[in-house]
Amino acid sequence: MKWLVAERRRSLSAALIVVAVVITSLLAPNPRDRVALGVAIVVAIVGVATLTIRGFRETHPVFARATLTVVALDVALFATYFFSSITNFNLAIGAAMSIVLLGLSFLTGASGQISLGNSAFMGVGALAVAIWANHHASTPMVVTLLIAVACGAFVGLLLGLPATRLRGPYLAGMTLAFAVAFTAIVNSFTSWTGGDAGLQLPTAVTPPQWLSSFFNAQTSLLRVNTMWLADITIVVTGVAFFFMANLFASRTGRAMRLVRDNEVAAELVGVSLPRARVIAFMVSSAYAALGGALWTLINNSVSPPTFSLALSITILSLVVIGGIGTISGALIGGVIYAYSTNVISWFTQHTGINSQGNLASQLPGIVFGGLLILTMLFAPMGIAGAVRRVWARRRVRMTP
Amino acid sequence: MIVVEELSVSYGAVQALREVSFRAETGVITAVLGANGAGKTTLLRTISGLKEPAKGTITLDEHSLARQKPENIARLGVGHVPEGRGVISEFTVEENLRLGAMMAKVNLSDGLEEQYQRFPVLGERRKQHAAKLSGGERQMLAMARALIAQPSVLLLDEPSLGLAPQVTAQLMHTIRDLCASKGLTVILVEQNASTALRIADHAVILYLGRVVANDAASIIVADEDLRQHYLGKVE
Amino acid sequence: MDAFLTSRIISDILGGLTNGVIYGLVALSLVLVWRSTGILNFAQGAMPMIATYLGMVVFAHRLGYWPLVAISIVAGFGVGGVTERVLVRHLYGKPEINPIVVMVGFLIVLEGVAAAIWSTTPRGIPNPFSPIDWQLGGKPIALSPFSVYEIVTALVVMSGVAVLFRFTKLGLQLRASALAPEVSRLLGVRVSRMLTLGWILSTGVGTICTVLVASNFFTGLTPQVMDGIFAFGFIAAAVGGLDSPVGAIVAGVSMGIVLQFVGDFVNSNAIIITALIILIVSLMVRPNGLFTKSTARRV
């Protein structure tokens, strides 16, 4: 009995696991489901138990982040099992977008620079995947994605070279020019890129046999496929966030924040400004390319005109609204992106705006632009920053 | 005449001036002395409106100056020659003067002529960019630019800073002359107390934002204690 | 002589000049705002666009071309002034990205509002100048009454701005406010008004440019009419140096000509790509622009 009290956490976890396993075995229709459900619950409980160990985050920061990622993935993957195809599709698009947002958030938050060309970097990744898949259909997906990331980083390096000597407004303008030029670049290599029409993937991404066999005959193929795509995207997103969280906390990340806050001080302590800037810019482009590559997989095709300046501006809006330079802000932005269309169409329905009219078609731009201005003026750290501030204030109030 | 009463100014938590009161009479040079960080520059910046006071009043004749915009105070005839001279180096000498003459009631070419007569070297270099002037020439340009507006009050912040002794002496002489001939109210901020006391009629000593002495220059020069305490050595 | 005037090279130069003065005007309007308030205005295309709609479309049924142009310009002044007072004022002294982000937001709000009210269908603006090229010996020279109108207007505006800045009291105050705001205030310059005036002037110049672009028979007025032109204008301003009005104009005009050759001898896709390369190379060689005197920006 004494032991139970002393090892409260362990005994609580064990009890929870037992209860969960019992419930699943009663609820789940067949043995495979029981196993899957059981594993998911055990992972979640063990993960949460580990994370709540006092001092664990401080002593093992990388391991703590990994655990957090695993728990988040576990919950998210589990959830996709229950979602409809449309929800899973939106989720996948939003998750891929959150990777792009994270990249820009890092660039802006860690180095104080801004890019209006991230849609074009997404396009680079999106096209890279499609072009590669059309020439080497048998390459494993992970490799294809890495190739897309490498392409994004390389183009980022090319454009980032002058950025080593530039300050904010010049870089923003230059990346804007890149976004505007993107369509022309794509159209200059039509035989590769397919021009404005874009490319189809030769084969759709489909789940492996063992996953398909989970489902009974009534489950539609579409549902299984979108779920699989959502799962892939979520896992990749998890990995991308994990890397970024470590980068934020690393020496490089700290050096970059120093560059943003005080260039002179950064140079004094031996940070190479040009290098820090180029790295930040490359990371941001690589992340954008990864997000774009996932879009190609999700849509099974790529349409270059999607990657317009307007998309870049949407990306910027989402990062700012979510919270510049925060990891949670990128996630918030991704969720907003996934559901903004729904919310806005709900809004048009309930306010009686003609859904075919000019106003309805322009509403997303006006709303995003308006939110962008308001956020920057009144809550420059976005939703994540605002939440953090409220949190901090409560904490102060609670400790007298 | 400028009357400063109970003036308090702070930068965040730091109080730069604490209930400072003094008057600067017309036709008189009032020196404001004190060590670095005593609040001298803050005092001038508050009089000319660049800094908003927390408390207190500043009056120029019948106008209240505190909390007015600097451009309006300038238009009331207060000329401020800031520390580090503040000439616009991208402008030519003449453009600097033209900018100064903007609110002058006199005709521009007469004003320019007057300043070129007073400072011949500026006349010689009128088409040159101010960036090319020497330290002393820049100081003259800053003075000329303030004078061309025909001010009734002249606020001078460390005019001798970085100048050779000879140039300083010449400059002080010019200030003395101007004050006498135009009936200007001059407030002269100096760290170099001996230079200032040589030409000032009246002196105010600031120490950590407070007025510790406010008397005729001759009395302050004679007060051994005061000088040693607050001004360091005065030859 | 006739054969020379209608030759491909002269055609490209003339055609490039017509585009170039437009780029130069956009670049000039960017420089005006940059110099006075240190902000790169990403809504520099959209603000004049709104003004042009207000002027050219709202009263189009009642008035002729010239009164409409006048109304547009006045609307441009108004849009510039109100934007500075209401929106931009809060951004001075903030981190560098804040004004960029806000002006980008303003750009899409304005374009969205314009499209919501006036739709995205291009509107032709009838004007007294024929868009058809003059002929010499049966061959066209790349110059029409309309392009002469464009070039002359742009030159008049550019010299007007130059005269204002060089020779007037107002110009002196505008320049002083940009270079040394505190000192200017000590000399009685109403700096805050000068900043507003900088935006008013800049949007005015932008509006004249937009009216020219929209009056072109082959483009017409759309909410996004200035998007592409803004990109070229920015490139010109950055190449010439955001601090230098002369640099902006020279870079704009020469870029127009170079790009016309590229479009003619390579293809139309190569135009913006070449512009991007010019930008990247020139920023690597001279990050502060070819025409800026100081080599390093003050920290």
Side-chain angles (χ1 to χ4, degrees):
Chain A
M1 205 54 212
K2 245 183 194 166
W3 179 82
L4 273 183
V5 178
E7 295 287 329
R8 214 168 20 211
R9 177 187 319 280
R10 263 179 225 172
S11 38
L12 190 65
S13 314
L16 272 175
I17 290 174
V18 171
V19 171
V21 169
V22 170
I23 291 176
T24 43
S25 54
L26 288 175
L27 284 180
N30 63 53
R32 273 190 310 241
D33 285 5
R34 271 174 226 160
V35 174
L37 201 57
V39 169
I41 292 176
V42 170
V43 168
I45 292 172
V46 171
V48 171
T50 322
L51 281 174
T52 47
I53 294 173
R54 188 164 302 211
F56 179 68
R57 279 159 171 248
E58 286 73 28
T59 48
H60 302 85
V62 177
F63 191 52
R65 276 177 224 125
T67 316
L68 185 63
T69 312
V70 169
V71 171
L73 285 183
D74 180 63
V75 173
L77 292 181
F78 188 63
T80 59
Y81 185 82
F82 299 97
F83 288 159
S84 69
S85 303
I86 296 172
T87 309
N88 271 334
F89 180 80
N90 285 338
L91 192 66
I93 291 283
M97 179 52 104
S98 71
I99 299 178
V100 182
L101 301 182
L102 189 60
L104 181 60
S105 189
F106 175 69
L107 176 71
T108 311
S111 74
Q113 299 183 75
I114 211 164
S115 161
L116 289 171
N118 277 31
S119 67
F121 287 113
M122 277 180 88
V124 169
L127 277 170
V129 162
I131 294 171
W132 188 268
N134 273 306
H135 289 84
H136 312 269
S138 59
T139 315
M141 194 180 55
V142 178
V143 179
T144 321
L145 285 179
L146 286 177
I147 289 169
V149 171
C151 288
F154 177 69
V155 180
L157 176 67
L158 284 186
L159 274 177
L161 279 179
T164 58
R165 298 164 69 181
L166 298 184
R167 292 176 56 86
Y170 278 97
L171 186 73
M174 189 188 75
T175 48
L176 175 137
F178 178 50
V180 172
F182 182 69
T183 329
I185 297 171
V186 168
N187 280 318
S188 301
F189 304 98
T190 320
S191 58
W192 281 76
T193 61
D196 277 348
L199 292 171
Q200 288 279 327
L201 287 186
T203 49
V205 179
T206 47
Q209 200 53 47
W210 60 265
L211 185 79
S212 309
S213 65
F214 254 117
F215 299 89
N216 56 36
Q218 273 100 48
T219 314
S220 76
L221 193 63
L222 176 75
R223 196 173 156 230
V224 181
N225 282 351
T226 29
M227 189 191 126
W228 173 242
L229 280 169
D231 288 350
I232 294 175
T233 315
I234 287 168
V235 170
V236 174
T237 309
V239 174
F241 272 71
F242 173 67
F243 272 117
M244 189 58 91
N246 286 312
L247 186 58
F248 260 92
S250 72
R251 240 183 83 86
T252 320
R254 284 203 306 274
M256 281 167 186
R257 276 194 293 282
L258 193 56
V259 171
R260 174 197 61 183
D261 294 335
N262 190 340
E263 286 183 6
V264 181
E267 274 193 316
L268 284 178
V269 299
V271 174
S272 152
L273 286 185
R275 233 188 55 194
R277 289 211 181 110
V278 171
I279 291 176
F281 194 70
M282 278 175 71
V283 168
S284 136
S285 335
Y287 266 62
L290 180 58
L294 287 169
W295 271 22
T296 302
L297 297 186
I298 298 165
N299 291 313
N300 200 30
S301 65
V302 48
S303 161
T306 317
F307 304 103
S308 60
L309 178 61
L311 181 63
S312 265
I313 296 178
T314 307
I315 294 171
L316 178 67
S317 315
L318 292 167
V319 169
V320 170
I321 294 166
I324 291 175
T326 61
I327 290 182
S328 50
L331 270 183
I332 296 169
V335 172
I336 294 176
Y337 184 71
Y339 295 99
S340 60
T341 340
N342 294 1
V343 172
I344 288 174
S345 67
W346 176 85
F347 179 80
T348 42
Q349 269 171 23
H350 286 258
T351 46
I353 296 169
N354 174 11
S355 64
Q356 304 301 313
N358 286 330
L359 180 56
S361 63
Q362 297 303 326
L363 213 50
I366 298 174
V367 169
F368 272 127
L371 285 177
L372 190 57
I373 297 173
L374 293 176
T375 312
M376 212 68 227
L377 288 180
F378 301 110
M381 289 311 291
I383 294 176
V387 168
R388 225 180 254 179
R389 213 165 48 199
V390 172
W391 200 265
R393 215 176 282 163
R394 279 185 86 175
R395 225 184 241 176
V396 169
R397 213 176 292 155
M398 273 153 70
T399 50
Chain B
M1 180 175 70
I2 284 207
V3 182
V4 173
E5 272 170 344
E6 309 267 299
L7 191 68
S8 295
V9 178
S10 48
Y11 291 96
V14 182
Q15 233 189 337
L17 292 180
R18 299 159 196 258
E19 300 183 345
V20 167
S21 302
F22 72 95
R23 7 178 98 217
E25 305 279 351
T26 310
V28 161
I29 297 181
T30 306
V32 176
L33 309 171
N36 231 341
K40 299 171 305 218
T41 296
T42 304
L43 178 62
L44 289 198
R45 288 175 67 84
T46 312
I47 295 175
S48 61
L50 290 174
K51 180 77 191 149
E52 201 174 297
K55 246 178 41 200
T57 59
I58 305 165
T59 32
L60 164 61
D61 303 329
E62 72 277 18
H63 306 284
S64 165
L65 299 188
R67 283 167 280 270
Q68 287 231 44
K69 288 181 180 168
E71 51 267 37
N72 293 334
I73 293 175
R75 281 159 194 258
L76 288 173
V78 176
H80 182 166
V81 180
E83 198 180 357
R85 283 115 193 168
V87 299
I88 300 180
S89 39
E90 291 90 342
F91 276 17
T92 61
V93 169
E94 185 150 318
E95 280 175 329
N96 268 292
L97 292 175
R98 269 172 60 203
L99 189 66
M102 246 189 10
M103 311 158 304
K105 284 153 201 91
V106 291
N107 159 315
L108 176 66
S109 52
D110 289 354
L112 286 175
E113 208 41 57
E114 188 192 335
Q115 298 310 320
Y116 291 151
Q117 260 170 25
R118 181 171 295 126
F119 305 104
V121 64
L122 295 181
E124 289 159 24
R125 320 192 74 170
R126 62 175 80 179
K127 296 287 173 209
Q128 280 189 17
H129 280 271
K132 298 213 172 108
L133 300 184
S134 71
E137 288 163 350
R138 279 163 167 251
Q139 187 62 55
M140 285 177 207
L141 176 56
M143 293 265 296
R145 194 179 59 186
L147 290 173
I148 200 171
Q150 310 277 351
S152 57
V153 177
L154 198 56
L155 310 177
L156 299 172
D157 200 349
E158 306 269 10
S160 74
L161 197 72
L163 296 188
Q166 246 179 326
V167 184
T168 305
Q170 197 189 345
L171 194 71
M172 291 298 155
H173 186 72
T174 314
I175 295 171
R176 178 77 267 172
D177 271 3
L178 277 169
C179 185
S181 63
K182 300 219 164 193
L184 281 175
T185 306
V186 177
I187 300 182
L188 171 66
V189 157
E190 265 298 338
Q191 212 179 321
N192 186 344
S194 53
T195 313
L197 284 174
R198 218 166 283 153
I199 62 159
D201 307 290
H202 195 91
V204 175
I205 301 178
L206 290 180
Y207 180 74
L208 296 179
R210 285 183 203 284
V211 174
V212 290
N214 179 2
D215 230 320
S218 51
I219 297 179
I220 288 187
V221 172
D223 190 334
E224 195 78 30
D225 247 22
L226 203 61
R227 272 163 42 208
Q228 274 184 352
H229 251 90
Y230 300 112
L231 302 176
K233 228 170 99 205
V234 175
E235 307 91 58
Chain C
M1 189 63 194
D2 286 10
F4 174 71
L5 282 176
T6 56
S7 70
R8 197 171 173 185
I9 290 180
I10 294 298
S11 295
D12 284 346
I13 290 176
L14 291 174
L17 186 64
T18 319
N19 290 336
V21 291
I22 297 292
Y23 303 156
L25 280 181
V26 175
L28 178 64
S29 68
L30 282 170
V31 169
L32 288 176
V33 159
W34 174 263
R35 272 172 54 120
S36 62
T37 53
I39 288 174
L40 179 57
N41 180 12
F42 281 90
Q44 190 63 58
M47 287 161 57
M49 175 276 294
I50 284 282
T52 309
Y53 266 107
L54 290 175
M56 300 310 265
V57 175
V58 175
F59 302 99
H61 300 296
R62 288 180 225 156
L63 297 168
Y65 185 70
W66 296 113
L68 291 180
V69 171
I71 295 173
S72 301
I73 296 171
V74 172
F77 290 153
V79 170
V82 169
T83 305
E84 198 275 343
R85 287 273 149 152
V86 176
L87 199 58
V88 180
R89 191 127 291 213
H90 309 286
L91 300 169
Y92 299 143
K94 292 279 164 64
E96 209 167 36
I97 61 164
N98 292 29
I100 300 179
V101 169
V102 169
M103 293 327 284
V104 167
F106 197 44
L107 157 76
I108 52 173
V109 169
L110 289 180
E111 287 187 353
V113 168
I117 302 175
W118 294 295
S119 93
T120 49
T121 319
R123 273 172 204 257
I125 293 176
N127 64 76
F129 302 98
S130 159
I132 298 160
D133 287 346
W134 278 301
Q135 306 263 324
L136 256 184
K139 278 185 163 176
I141 34 171
L143 210 59
S144 63
F146 183 78
S147 51
V148 170
Y149 161 57
E150 271 187 326
I151 294 170
V152 169
T153 311
L155 291 180
V156 168
V157 171
M158 289 165 185
S159 0
V161 171
V163 168
L164 175 71
F165 273 85
R166 278 280 142 223
F167 302 110
T168 67
K169 251 179 153 178
L170 189 63
L172 194 69
Q173 295 182 59
L174 280 166
R175 281 157 62 209
S177 307
L179 292 168
E182 194 169 89
V183 169
S184 305
R185 295 185 82 183
L186 289 179
L187 296 174
V189 178
R190 298 194 192 283
V191 170
S192 129
R193 272 186 209 173
M194 293 303 134
L195 300 184
T196 312
L197 200 60
W199 279 73
I200 289 176
L201 264 179
S202 154
T203 317
V205 170
T207 305
I208 294 173
C209 175
T210 311
V211 166
L212 291 178
V213 172
S215 304
N216 189 326
F217 178 79
F218 302 104
T219 37
L221 181 58
T222 64
Q224 302 194 317
V225 68
M226 294 306 284
D227 276 6
I229 295 171
F230 173 84
F232 288 110
F234 164 75
I235 294 176
V239 170
L242 276 173
D243 285 322
S244 158
V246 178
I249 293 167
V250 172
V253 171
S254 21
M255 234 177 61
I257 295 172
V258 169
L259 295 180
Q260 187 77 13
F261 275 96
V262 171
D264 186 15
F265 284 87
V266 188
N267 60 45
S268 61
N269 285 323
I271 294 176
I272 178 82
I273 300 175
T274 311
L276 187 62
I277 294 171
I278 291 177
L279 176 66
I280 293 175
V281 171
S282 87
L283 286 179
M284 285 176 79
V285 179
R286 294 218 41 183
N288 293 304
L290 301 175
F291 290 81
T292 304
K293 279 179 211 123
S294 58
T295 45
R297 270 185 67 87
R298 279 160 291 171
V299 180

